[in-house]
Amino acid sequence: MIGNLKPLEIVLIIAVILLLFGAKKLPDMARSLGKSARILKSEAKAMKKDDAEPATPTTETVADTAPPATPARTIQAAPGDVTSSRSVSEAKPTTQS
């Protein structure tokens, strides 16, 4: 159905979207959608990487079960964007628009 759209219909759809959201909101919406897609992609890769690591058998005793010290994972919105990175275990701040 989407492949059957004519150029005039596409222009009308774009015009309706511009009227509904306004020209100022569209770049912000596209930017936030791109950030969300990057975060989703990086988290999916991290999950695949975690699943792909084979479990190595160990011969630990009961008294020797201290958890290893691993650095906290962080979620980063965009490469080089350190202002929006946060720890995974950290609670997400709530904001109201």
Side-chain angles (χ1 to χ4, degrees), residues 3-23:
N4 297 334
L5 292 177
K6 296 179 176 69
L8 181 62
E9 294 171 341
I10 294 173
V11 170
L12 285 174
I13 291 171
I14 292 172
V16 168
I17 290 173
L18 279 172
L19 287 173
L20 286 176
F21 296 108

Side-chain angles (χ1 to χ4, degrees), residues 6 9-10 19 23 33-34 36-37 60 65-66 76 83 88 93 95 97:
K6 296 179 176 69
E9 294 171 341
I10 294 173
L19 287 173
L33 182 66
S36 299
E60 294 179 338
T65 59
Q76 197 169 26
T83 58
V88 174
T95 59
S97 298

Side-chain angles (χ1 to χ4, degrees), residues 3-97:
N4 297 334
L5 292 177
K6 296 179 176 69
L8 181 62
E9 294 171 341
I10 294 173
V11 170
L12 285 174
I13 291 171
I14 292 172
V16 168
I17 290 173
L18 279 172
L19 287 173
L20 286 176
F21 296 108
K24 291 183 180 180
K25 282 276 192 175
L26 288 178
D28 294 334
M29 291 171 50
R31 192 174 299 115
S32 65
L33 182 66
K35 283 183 181 180
S36 299
R38 280 193 296 271
I39 290 171
L40 180 65
K41 185 177 178 181
S42 67
E43 287 299 312
K45 281 184 181 179
M47 289 176 64
K48 282 183 181 179
K49 181 182 162 191
D50 289 345
D51 289 342
E53 292 177 359
T56 56
T58 58
T59 56
E60 294 179 338
T61 60
V62 176
D64 197 20
T65 59
T70 57
R73 288 182 28 196
T74 58
I75 297 175
Q76 197 169 26
D81 184 15
V82 295
T83 58
S84 62
S85 63
R86 60 181 171 82
S87 176
V88 174
S89 62
E90 185 179 306
K92 185 178 177 181
T94 57
T95 59
Q96 295 178 356
S97 298

